[in-house]
Amino acid sequence: MAKGKIPSSFMKTDYIKLGQAIEIMRETYASGRSRPFSIVYIEYDAKRKTGGRIITLNSAEIANQKRVGRMEDRMILLKGPLHPIYVHSDLILYVNDKPIA
């Protein structure tokens, strides 16, 4: 490979916007049940001022369809194994392996 060239595998341009990612998260089956999706986000707890870990959930589901991506708080509520998981929309990196622009 020539010096200064970027490999084509790093030149993916299939970014999606946050609105498209929220549409993916809202998808349901014909029965009305939420369709699982994968999500990668950065963990952050404002009260404790902790975070920075990158979290991957391979089979996440929206906990409440009505609150998804509300503009006033921009929090997304996911079903967690023990308790609900709140994720700020600005901290989402990937949805279904597609990077968020």
Side-chain angles (χ1 to χ4, degrees):
M1 179 164 69
K3 188 174 182 180
K5 292 266 185 176
I6 298 173
S8 61
S9 61
F10 290 118
M11 297 179 69
K12 286 189 171 182
T13 58
D14 57 343
Y15 289 93
I16 59 172
K17 296 196 180 269
L18 181 60
Q20 293 169 306
I22 290 173
E23 287 177 17
I24 291 169
M25 291 185 241
R26 285 183 175 166
E27 288 179 359
T28 59
Y29 292 111
S31 66
R33 183 172 165 256
S34 294
R35 183 181 299 258
F37 55 90
S38 66
I39 186 169
V40 178
Y41 65 94
I42 300 172
E43 180 182 56
Y44 177 68
D45 186 336
K47 291 179 184 175
R48 296 184 184 129
K49 306 241 190 267
T50 60
R53 291 188 313 156
I54 295 177
I55 306 296
T56 301
L57 300 175
N58 292 320
S59 185
E61 288 183 35
I62 292 294
N64 187 347
Q65 289 282 349
K66 293 177 183 164
R67 290 199 50 171
V68 175
R70 285 189 7 192
M71 289 309 293
E72 56 267 17
D73 60 9
R74 297 182 53 108
M75 297 300 285
I76 296 172
L77 183 61
L78 303 175
K79 292 179 185 176
L82 300 175
H83 53 81
I85 300 169
Y86 287 92
V87 178
H88 193 280
S89 59
D90 291 340
L91 299 177
I92 298 172
L93 302 175
Y94 296 90
V95 172
N96 285 348
D97 298 325
K98 294 179 184 173
I100 305 297

XYZ file of all heavy atoms in Angstrom:
806
model
N 0.847 -1.168 0.000
C 0.000 0.000 0.000
C 0.893 1.231 0.000
O 1.875 1.310 0.719
C -0.908 -0.025 1.232
C -1.799 1.169 1.318
S -3.174 0.986 2.458
C -2.344 0.975 4.011
N 0.543 2.225 -0.779
C 1.329 3.446 -0.886
C 1.186 4.275 0.383
O 0.137 4.275 1.033
C 0.866 4.253 -2.088
N 2.244 4.979 0.724
C 2.250 5.813 1.928
C 1.210 6.930 1.782
O 1.124 7.577 0.748
C 3.637 6.412 2.130
C 3.791 7.121 3.435
C 5.218 7.566 3.623
C 5.366 8.233 4.966
N 6.717 8.672 5.190
N 0.432 7.132 2.826
C -0.570 8.185 2.818
C -1.912 7.782 2.243
O -2.860 8.545 2.286
N -2.021 6.591 1.702
C -3.298 6.125 1.146
C -4.146 5.523 2.263
O -3.637 4.820 3.130
C -3.066 5.061 0.073
C -2.407 5.589 -1.160
C -3.455 5.956 -2.143
C -2.765 6.360 -3.434
N -3.702 6.631 -4.464
N -5.431 5.774 2.231
C -6.360 5.211 3.204
C -6.969 3.963 2.594
O -7.479 4.008 1.470
C -7.462 6.222 3.561
C -6.829 7.466 4.195
C -8.481 5.597 4.493
C -7.808 8.580 4.432
N -6.906 2.825 3.317
C -7.507 1.604 2.781
C -8.994 1.796 2.516
O -9.681 2.511 3.242
C -7.288 0.572 3.882
C -6.281 1.151 4.794
C -6.318 2.631 4.621
N -9.505 1.174 1.479
C -10.913 1.341 1.111
C -11.849 0.841 2.204
O -12.976 1.307 2.312
C -11.209 0.616 -0.200
O -10.951 -0.768 -0.051
N -11.394 -0.092 3.050
C -12.249 -0.587 4.132
C -12.531 0.492 5.174
O -13.500 0.405 5.916
C -11.607 -1.800 4.803
O -10.361 -1.443 5.374
N -11.691 1.528 5.237
C -11.901 2.618 6.177
C -12.724 3.749 5.569
O -13.039 4.709 6.240
C -10.566 3.195 6.657
C -9.810 2.266 7.549
C -8.567 1.806 7.173
C -10.334 1.835 8.744
C -7.858 0.940 7.986
C -9.636 0.973 9.562
C -8.405 0.521 9.182
N -13.064 3.652 4.316
C -13.754 4.739 3.638
C -15.247 4.457 3.492
O -15.856 4.821 2.502
C -13.115 4.992 2.277
C -11.684 5.429 2.393
S -10.886 5.704 0.830
C -11.740 7.153 0.273
N -15.840 3.839 4.484
C -17.274 3.577 4.442
C -18.027 4.897 4.517
O -17.692 5.761 5.299
C -17.701 2.682 5.596
C -17.300 1.249 5.427
C -17.944 0.418 6.485
C -17.721 -1.042 6.206
N -18.365 -1.885 7.188
N -19.031 5.033 3.705
C -19.833 6.251 3.709
C -21.297 5.945 4.003
O -22.161 6.728 3.663
C -19.723 6.970 2.358
O -20.144 6.075 1.340
C -18.320 7.453 2.101
N -21.568 4.822 4.622
C -22.950 4.456 4.896
C -23.414 4.960 6.263
O -24.070 4.256 7.004
C -23.155 2.948 4.758
C -22.232 2.134 5.651
O -21.232 2.695 6.130
O -22.515 0.958 5.864
N -23.067 6.207 6.589
C -23.532 6.822 7.820
C -25.022 7.066 7.724
O -25.556 7.291 6.644
C -22.833 8.166 8.050
C -21.388 8.054 8.422
C -20.390 8.101 7.454
C -21.015 7.904 9.740
C -19.060 7.992 7.793
C -19.682 7.804 10.098
C -18.711 7.853 9.116
O -17.395 7.753 9.459
N -25.682 7.049 8.881
C -27.100 7.400 8.926
C -27.272 8.541 9.916
O -26.475 8.723 10.824
C -27.989 6.198 9.307
C -27.607 5.637 10.679
C -27.944 5.129 8.239
C -28.563 4.575 11.194
N -28.307 9.308 9.721
C -28.608 10.409 10.629
C -29.369 9.868 11.836
O -29.936 8.784 11.791
C -29.409 11.484 9.915
C -28.631 12.125 8.782
C -29.281 13.408 8.375
C -28.497 14.035 7.251
N -27.486 14.925 7.687
N -29.379 10.652 12.904
C -30.038 10.228 14.133
C -31.514 9.920 13.892
O -32.045 8.947 14.424
C -29.882 11.287 15.224
C -30.517 10.955 16.560
C -29.916 9.682 17.153
C -30.366 12.110 17.523
N -32.181 10.715 13.082
C -33.598 10.470 12.786
C -33.829 9.108 12.152
O -34.791 8.415 12.472
N -32.920 8.710 11.244
C -33.025 7.385 10.621
C -32.774 6.292 11.652
O -33.423 5.249 11.622
C -32.015 7.264 9.484
C -32.293 8.175 8.312
C -31.136 8.210 7.335
O -30.011 8.473 7.714
N -31.443 7.923 6.078
N -31.834 6.527 12.574
C -31.551 5.547 13.623
C -32.767 5.364 14.529
O -33.112 4.241 14.895
C -30.344 5.985 14.445
N -33.453 6.449 14.848
C -34.644 6.356 15.692
C -35.751 5.602 14.961
O -36.472 4.806 15.562
C -35.094 7.757 16.155
C -34.067 8.294 17.162
C -36.483 7.718 16.768
C -34.278 9.714 17.591
N -35.868 5.812 13.653
C -36.851 5.042 12.873
C -36.548 3.551 12.935
O -37.463 2.731 13.061
C -36.855 5.514 11.418
C -37.504 6.855 11.208
C -37.429 7.315 9.766
O -37.163 6.479 8.875
O -37.635 8.516 9.544
N -35.271 3.180 12.847
C -34.876 1.776 12.954
C -35.276 1.231 14.321
O -35.792 0.126 14.447
C -33.367 1.610 12.710
C -33.028 1.893 11.247
C -32.891 0.218 13.123
C -31.546 2.008 10.960
N -35.043 2.021 15.380
C -35.372 1.584 16.743
C -36.877 1.437 16.943
O -37.314 0.621 17.737
C -34.810 2.575 17.763
C -33.316 2.562 17.848
S -32.760 3.646 19.167
C -31.800 4.818 18.250
N -37.670 2.205 16.233
C -39.128 2.161 16.377
C -39.784 1.053 15.571
O -40.980 0.811 15.720
C -39.739 3.482 15.921
C -39.555 4.599 16.888
C -40.258 5.830 16.371
N -40.195 6.894 17.355
C -40.483 8.150 17.096
N -40.872 8.490 15.876
N -40.398 9.062 18.034
N -39.054 0.364 14.715
C -39.646 -0.678 13.872
C -40.281 -1.766 14.730
O -39.773 -2.124 15.783
C -38.594 -1.297 12.966
C -38.142 -0.395 11.853
C -37.077 -1.031 10.983
O -36.661 -2.173 11.248
O -36.655 -0.368 10.029
N -41.412 -2.276 14.245
C -42.123 -3.339 14.959
C -42.450 -4.474 13.992
O -42.438 -4.295 12.778
C -43.448 -2.823 15.564
O -44.268 -2.322 14.510
C -43.207 -1.739 16.602
N -42.747 -5.622 14.575
C -43.261 -6.748 13.798
C -44.741 -6.495 13.516
O -45.348 -5.587 14.087
C -43.105 -8.054 14.579
C -41.677 -8.505 14.764
C -41.087 -8.492 16.017
C -40.925 -8.945 13.686
C -39.781 -8.916 16.199
C -39.613 -9.375 13.849
C -39.051 -9.348 15.106
O -37.755 -9.759 15.273
N -45.354 -7.304 12.666
C -46.773 -7.165 12.348
C -47.634 -7.310 13.599
O -48.711 -6.719 13.692
C -47.175 -8.196 11.304
N -47.137 -8.058 14.579
C -47.888 -8.255 15.823
C -47.867 -7.022 16.730
O -48.602 -6.963 17.705
C -47.314 -9.447 16.587
O -45.986 -9.152 17.013
N -47.007 -6.053 16.411
C -46.900 -4.855 17.240
C -45.729 -4.883 18.207
O -45.419 -3.884 18.840
N -45.092 -6.037 18.338
C -43.941 -6.170 19.235
C -42.739 -5.447 18.628
O -42.523 -5.459 17.428
C -43.610 -7.643 19.434
C -42.496 -7.891 20.397
C -42.357 -9.392 20.679
N -41.078 -9.606 21.316
C -40.013 -10.113 20.718
N -40.081 -10.497 19.457
N -38.887 -10.269 21.360
N -41.925 -4.813 19.475
C -40.748 -4.096 18.998
C -39.754 -5.046 18.349
O -39.537 -6.150 18.820
C -40.046 -3.393 20.162
O -40.865 -2.390 20.688
N -39.138 -4.584 17.257
C -38.133 -5.369 16.553
C -36.776 -5.090 17.215
O -36.384 -3.939 17.345
C -38.089 -4.968 15.097
C -37.120 -5.783 14.260
C -37.134 -5.300 12.827
N -38.459 -5.455 12.227
C -38.782 -6.427 11.387
N -37.893 -7.306 11.019
N -39.992 -6.507 10.897
N -36.050 -6.120 17.648
C -34.743 -5.915 18.278
C -33.734 -5.313 17.300
O -33.819 -5.525 16.091
C -34.295 -7.316 18.693
C -35.504 -8.166 18.623
C -36.421 -7.533 17.632
N -32.793 -4.550 17.831
C -31.739 -3.937 17.039
C -30.462 -3.956 17.869
O -30.491 -4.158 19.081
C -32.106 -2.496 16.646
C -32.452 -1.626 17.824
C -31.468 -0.895 18.494
C -33.754 -1.551 18.289
C -31.786 -0.114 19.575
C -34.080 -0.765 19.386
C -33.093 -0.044 20.033
N -29.335 -3.764 17.205
C -28.076 -3.658 17.936
C -27.727 -2.184 18.075
O -28.045 -1.374 17.203
C -26.956 -4.418 17.225
O -26.659 -3.806 15.996
N -27.106 -1.836 19.199
C -26.747 -0.448 19.467
C -25.400 -0.406 20.186
O -25.112 -1.270 21.013
C -27.849 0.265 20.281
C -27.544 1.755 20.449
C -28.056 -0.394 21.626
C -28.713 2.547 21.012
N -24.589 0.577 19.827
C -23.317 0.831 20.496
C -23.370 2.284 20.950
O -23.653 3.181 20.143
C -22.113 0.613 19.549
C -20.810 0.940 20.260
C -22.096 -0.810 19.021
N -23.144 2.508 22.250
C -23.205 3.868 22.781
C -22.154 4.054 23.865
O -21.564 3.093 24.353
C -24.603 4.179 23.324
C -25.007 3.344 24.518
C -24.805 3.804 25.813
C -25.595 2.103 24.350
C -25.174 3.038 26.908
C -25.964 1.334 25.435
C -25.762 1.807 26.713
O -26.110 1.046 27.796
N -21.929 5.303 24.227
C -20.985 5.636 25.295
C -21.775 5.820 26.576
O -22.748 6.580 26.611
C -20.202 6.917 24.959
C -19.413 6.717 23.668
C -19.277 7.301 26.114
C -18.765 7.965 23.147
N -21.359 5.127 27.621
C -22.029 5.205 28.913
C -21.673 6.521 29.601
O -20.514 6.947 29.580
C -21.573 4.018 29.764
C -22.187 3.964 31.134
C -21.632 2.795 31.920
O -20.408 2.717 32.072
O -22.431 1.991 32.368
N -22.682 7.168 30.220
C -22.435 8.395 30.968
C -23.498 8.555 32.040
O -24.688 8.380 31.774
C -22.447 9.616 30.045
C -22.261 10.917 30.786
C -21.038 11.210 31.384
C -23.288 11.826 30.912
C -20.861 12.394 32.075
C -23.119 13.011 31.597
C -21.896 13.290 32.178
O -21.725 14.451 32.876
N -23.076 8.867 33.265
C -23.987 9.127 34.372
C -23.713 10.541 34.857
O -22.687 10.804 35.494
C -23.765 8.110 35.493
C -24.790 8.244 36.609
O -25.364 9.344 36.782
O -25.015 7.247 37.318
N -24.621 11.467 34.552
C -24.423 12.877 34.889
C -24.426 13.110 36.394
O -23.686 13.965 36.893
C -25.499 13.729 34.233
N -25.244 12.358 37.139
C -25.308 12.552 38.593
C -24.010 12.159 39.271
O -23.535 12.838 40.171
C -26.462 11.743 39.187
C -27.820 12.260 38.788
C -28.912 11.410 39.385
C -30.265 11.894 38.901
N -31.350 11.038 39.350
N -23.437 11.046 38.844
C -22.197 10.553 39.456
C -20.948 11.072 38.753
O -19.838 10.836 39.201
C -22.185 9.030 39.429
C -23.280 8.428 40.263
C -23.143 6.915 40.277
N -24.243 6.343 40.999
C -25.015 5.378 40.554
N -24.809 4.866 39.364
N -26.002 4.903 41.282
N -21.145 11.716 37.595
C -20.032 12.206 36.769
C -19.071 11.070 36.420
O -17.860 11.191 36.548
C -19.294 13.340 37.468
C -20.182 14.493 37.893
C -19.762 15.752 37.228
C -20.469 16.931 37.811
N -21.647 17.333 37.197
N -19.657 9.955 35.983
C -18.863 8.797 35.574
C -19.268 8.386 34.174
O -20.327 8.773 33.680
C -19.088 7.596 36.516
O -20.475 7.236 36.478
C -18.678 7.903 37.939
N -18.460 7.593 33.535
C -18.800 7.073 32.219
C -17.567 6.932 31.354
O -16.442 6.915 31.834
N -17.792 6.843 30.075
C -16.704 6.717 29.121
C -16.574 5.327 28.535
O -15.908 5.159 27.522
N -17.226 4.331 29.159
C -17.155 2.977 28.602
C -18.043 2.889 27.367
O -19.099 3.495 27.314
C -17.638 1.944 29.616
C -16.718 1.767 30.781
C -17.109 0.605 31.666
N -18.541 0.598 31.971
C -19.222 -0.480 32.304
N -18.620 -1.650 32.400
N -20.503 -0.415 32.568
N -17.591 2.125 26.398
C -18.395 1.880 25.205
C -19.193 0.604 25.435
O -18.627 -0.448 25.721
C -17.513 1.778 23.954
C -16.846 3.129 23.709
C -18.332 1.339 22.746
C -15.897 3.160 22.560
N -20.505 0.724 25.349
C -21.420 -0.381 25.635
C -22.029 -0.873 24.326
O -22.462 -0.075 23.491
C -22.557 0.071 26.576
C -21.998 0.715 27.842
C -23.493 -1.077 26.893
C -21.196 -0.202 28.723
N -22.075 -2.189 24.153
C -22.704 -2.810 22.988
C -23.853 -3.691 23.456
O -23.664 -4.553 24.307
C -21.682 -3.672 22.211
O -20.599 -2.846 21.805
C -22.317 -4.308 20.989
N -25.025 -3.452 22.908
C -26.184 -4.307 23.156
C -26.573 -4.920 21.821
O -26.911 -4.200 20.879
C -27.358 -3.501 23.722
C -27.117 -2.787 25.049
C -28.320 -1.929 25.413
C -26.836 -3.795 26.146
N -26.506 -6.237 21.726
C -26.769 -6.909 20.454
C -28.244 -7.134 20.169
O -28.625 -7.367 19.028
C -26.024 -8.242 20.400
C -24.537 -8.028 20.326
O -24.077 -7.128 19.631
N -23.774 -8.824 21.052
N -29.072 -7.084 21.192
C -30.501 -7.307 20.992
C -31.286 -6.353 21.888
O -31.921 -6.763 22.849
C -30.848 -8.764 21.318
O -32.199 -9.009 21.023
N -31.239 -5.077 21.555
C -31.929 -4.055 22.350
C -33.336 -3.843 21.806
O -33.616 -4.121 20.638
C -31.151 -2.749 22.303
N -34.218 -3.344 22.682
C -35.567 -2.993 22.275
C -35.954 -1.696 22.955
O -35.532 -1.417 24.065
C -36.576 -4.079 22.685
C -36.486 -5.345 21.892
C -37.556 -6.338 22.294
O -38.681 -5.905 22.628
O -37.262 -7.532 22.285
N -36.775 -0.910 22.285
C -37.305 0.319 22.864
C -38.272 -0.059 23.973
O -39.108 -0.944 23.800
C -38.033 1.142 21.777
C -37.037 1.679 20.763
C -38.847 2.268 22.378
C -36.075 2.697 21.301
N -38.169 0.622 25.121
C -39.064 0.327 26.231
C -40.384 1.080 26.104
O -41.422 0.584 26.506
C -38.390 0.667 27.554
N -40.349 2.278 25.542
C -41.555 3.078 25.443
C -41.546 3.795 24.100
O -40.785 4.739 23.914
C -41.630 4.076 26.597
C -42.944 4.811 26.653
O -43.724 4.779 25.718
N -43.181 5.483 27.761
N -42.391 3.385 23.189
C -42.416 3.946 21.831
C -42.706 5.449 21.825
O -42.215 6.172 20.986
C -43.479 3.238 20.987
C -43.140 1.837 20.610
C -42.146 1.769 19.462
O -41.847 2.742 18.815
N -41.616 0.589 19.245
N -43.493 5.937 22.758
C -43.910 7.335 22.735
C -42.794 8.291 23.143
O -42.789 9.436 22.755
C -45.116 7.539 23.643
C -46.339 6.832 23.126
C -47.495 6.976 24.054
C -48.653 6.163 23.497
N -49.683 5.929 24.450
N -41.831 7.827 23.934
C -40.794 8.726 24.430
C -39.514 8.682 23.607
O -38.564 9.347 23.946
C -40.446 8.359 25.865
C -41.552 8.686 26.822
C -41.049 8.758 28.188
N -39.881 9.629 28.204
C -39.292 10.052 29.283
N -39.733 9.682 30.434
N -38.234 10.827 29.236
N -39.478 7.927 22.552
C -38.241 7.747 21.785
C -37.785 9.071 21.194
O -38.485 9.689 20.412
C -38.438 6.716 20.656
C -37.194 6.627 19.800
C -38.759 5.368 21.230
N -36.608 9.515 21.589
C -35.975 10.677 20.981
C -36.733 11.975 21.136
O -36.673 12.826 20.261
N -37.442 12.161 22.244
C -38.128 13.435 22.463
C -37.112 14.564 22.449
O -36.049 14.465 23.037
C -38.857 13.429 23.803
C -40.097 12.596 23.761
C -40.957 12.717 24.970
N -40.553 13.730 25.904
C -41.034 13.832 27.122
N -41.902 12.963 27.553
N -40.636 14.785 27.926
N -37.422 15.642 21.784
C -36.458 16.719 21.615
C -36.127 17.424 22.924
O -35.023 17.890 23.118
C -36.963 17.747 20.590
C -36.957 17.216 19.174
S -35.385 16.490 18.651
C -34.346 17.919 18.631
N -37.070 17.514 23.859
C -36.785 18.265 25.076
C -35.755 17.585 25.975
O -35.021 18.246 26.681
C -38.054 18.588 25.866
C -38.904 17.393 26.248
C -39.988 17.102 25.233
O -39.922 17.576 24.103
O -40.921 16.381 25.615
N -35.697 16.261 25.964
C -34.693 15.605 26.800
C -33.706 14.750 26.008
O -32.649 14.420 26.499
C -35.339 14.776 27.908
C -36.249 13.681 27.397
O -36.270 13.423 26.181
O -36.938 13.077 28.220
N -34.049 14.394 24.770
C -33.186 13.622 23.863
C -32.711 12.304 24.468
O -31.666 11.796 24.127
C -32.011 14.464 23.391
C -32.459 15.660 22.580
C -31.316 16.477 22.066
N -30.362 15.682 21.351
C -30.185 15.715 20.041
N -30.911 16.499 19.308
N -29.274 14.980 19.462
N -33.498 11.758 25.393
C -33.165 10.484 26.012
C -33.967 9.374 25.343
O -35.129 9.546 24.991
C -33.473 10.496 27.508
C -32.661 11.517 28.285
S -30.893 11.254 28.183
C -30.682 9.876 29.249
N -33.311 8.236 25.181
C -33.945 7.069 24.603
C -33.977 5.995 25.677
O -32.959 5.707 26.308
C -33.175 6.597 23.356
C -33.256 7.710 22.299
C -33.723 5.288 22.834
C -32.397 7.488 21.098
N -35.139 5.439 25.915
C -35.337 4.443 26.961
C -35.332 3.052 26.338
O -36.156 2.746 25.477
C -36.654 4.703 27.690
C -37.007 3.811 28.853
C -35.963 3.928 29.958
C -38.377 4.172 29.394
N -34.372 2.221 26.760
C -34.241 0.857 26.259
C -34.621 -0.136 27.342
O -34.437 0.140 28.530
C -32.800 0.587 25.820
C -32.210 1.509 24.760
C -30.745 1.169 24.541
C -32.980 1.402 23.475
N -35.119 -1.301 26.918
C -35.373 -2.376 27.879
C -34.038 -2.972 28.273
O -33.243 -3.365 27.425
C -36.246 -3.462 27.256
C -37.655 -3.028 26.974
C -38.439 -4.154 26.338
C -39.824 -3.680 25.955
N -40.574 -4.723 25.253
N -33.772 -3.037 29.565
C -32.546 -3.641 30.057
C -32.844 -4.972 30.707
O -33.999 -5.288 31.017
N -31.816 -5.798 30.953
C -32.047 -7.110 31.568
C -32.592 -7.007 32.994
O -33.410 -7.819 33.401
C -30.672 -7.770 31.548
C -29.700 -6.672 31.308
C -30.430 -5.557 30.641
N -32.171 -5.987 33.749
C -32.633 -5.821 35.124
C -33.443 -4.554 35.327
O -34.344 -4.519 36.160
C -31.431 -5.799 36.080
C -30.561 -7.059 36.073
C -29.345 -6.872 36.972
C -31.374 -8.266 36.511
N -33.122 -3.503 34.608
C -33.801 -2.224 34.750
C -33.708 -1.462 33.428
O -32.874 -1.784 32.586
C -33.174 -1.403 35.884
C -31.684 -1.258 35.749
N -31.095 -0.336 34.926
C -30.664 -1.939 36.315
C -29.782 -0.445 34.986
N -29.487 -1.422 35.830
N -34.543 -0.443 33.245
C -34.479 0.328 32.001
C -33.128 1.027 31.853
O -32.493 1.383 32.838
C -35.594 1.360 32.149
C -36.462 0.846 33.233
C -35.613 0.008 34.120
N -32.725 1.226 30.619
C -31.458 1.894 30.324
C -31.779 3.178 29.582
O -32.438 3.148 28.539
C -30.557 1.003 29.449
C -30.257 -0.315 30.161
C -29.271 1.726 29.076
C -29.604 -1.352 29.263
N -31.330 4.306 30.132
C -31.491 5.593 29.462
C -30.207 5.903 28.709
O -29.124 5.834 29.264
C -31.758 6.707 30.480
C -33.135 6.652 31.071
C -33.377 5.963 32.250
C -34.198 7.296 30.450
C -34.642 5.910 32.794
C -35.469 7.248 30.990
C -35.678 6.561 32.164
O -36.939 6.515 32.689
N -30.345 6.253 27.421
C -29.201 6.594 26.588
C -29.473 7.961 25.957
O -30.532 8.165 25.355
C -28.987 5.552 25.466
C -27.826 5.953 24.571
C -28.773 4.172 26.049
N -28.533 8.887 26.126
C -28.680 10.188 25.470
C -28.385 10.003 23.990
O -27.412 9.354 23.610
C -27.725 11.210 26.086
C -28.041 12.609 25.694
N -27.658 13.125 24.486
C -28.720 13.579 26.338
C -28.077 14.371 24.398
N -28.729 14.672 25.505
N -29.214 10.576 23.156
C -29.088 10.359 21.716
C -27.741 10.824 21.157
O -27.270 10.282 20.166
C -30.236 11.042 20.971
O -30.224 12.431 21.244
N -27.108 11.812 21.778
C -25.804 12.280 21.298
C -24.684 11.287 21.573
O -23.596 11.427 21.022
C -25.439 13.620 21.934
C -26.319 14.756 21.441
O -26.945 14.603 20.367
O -26.386 15.794 22.124
N -24.923 10.290 22.429
C -23.888 9.327 22.793
C -24.000 8.016 22.027
O -23.236 7.090 22.266
C -23.926 9.059 24.307
C -23.673 10.293 25.180
C -23.804 9.932 26.647
C -22.318 10.897 24.893
N -24.936 7.932 21.089
C -25.091 6.720 20.277
C -24.066 6.755 19.149
O -23.957 7.742 18.421
C -26.512 6.616 19.703
C -27.534 6.509 20.844
C -26.626 5.410 18.770
C -28.965 6.590 20.382
N -23.313 5.681 19.015
C -22.288 5.586 17.975
C -22.778 4.796 16.764
O -22.519 5.178 15.624
C -21.028 4.930 18.539
C -20.381 5.631 19.739
C -19.227 4.814 20.269
C -19.943 7.030 19.358
N -23.443 3.657 16.996
C -23.889 2.769 15.920
C -25.268 2.218 16.244
O -25.583 1.936 17.395
C -22.971 1.554 15.759
C -21.566 1.876 15.338
C -20.583 2.115 16.288
C -21.211 1.888 13.992
C -19.271 2.396 15.903
C -19.918 2.165 13.602
C -18.954 2.418 14.564
O -17.675 2.697 14.183
N -26.092 2.027 15.212
C -27.348 1.287 15.303
C -27.342 0.299 14.135
O -27.159 0.696 12.985
C -28.576 2.213 15.229
C -29.861 1.404 15.127
C -28.618 3.122 16.443
N -27.505 -0.975 14.462
C -27.424 -2.058 13.456
C -26.154 -1.952 12.614
O -26.190 -2.042 11.388
C -28.666 -2.075 12.562
C -29.875 -2.637 13.273
O -29.767 -3.217 14.350
N -31.038 -2.455 12.690
N -25.040 -1.736 13.279
C -23.715 -1.640 12.657
C -23.564 -0.485 11.669
O -22.642 -0.489 10.863
C -23.337 -2.962 11.979
C -23.246 -4.104 12.963
O -22.817 -3.857 14.108
O -23.607 -5.231 12.605
N -24.456 0.496 11.716
C -24.338 1.670 10.858
C -23.943 2.855 11.739
O -24.606 3.159 12.723
C -25.677 1.958 10.171
C -26.075 0.871 9.211
C -27.409 1.163 8.578
C -27.801 -0.010 7.688
N -29.147 0.118 7.179
N -22.841 3.535 11.394
C -22.404 4.664 12.209
C -23.365 5.843 12.091
O -23.944 6.085 11.039
C -21.030 5.016 11.634
C -20.994 4.417 10.274
C -21.952 3.266 10.276
N -23.527 6.563 13.207
C -24.395 7.721 13.254
C -23.582 8.958 12.874
O -22.508 9.198 13.413
C -24.990 7.912 14.669
C -25.698 6.646 15.149
C -25.934 9.116 14.705
C -26.871 6.223 14.348
N -24.105 9.749 11.946
C -23.411 10.959 11.505
C -23.755 12.116 12.422
O -24.789 12.220 12.974
C -23.803 11.308 10.083
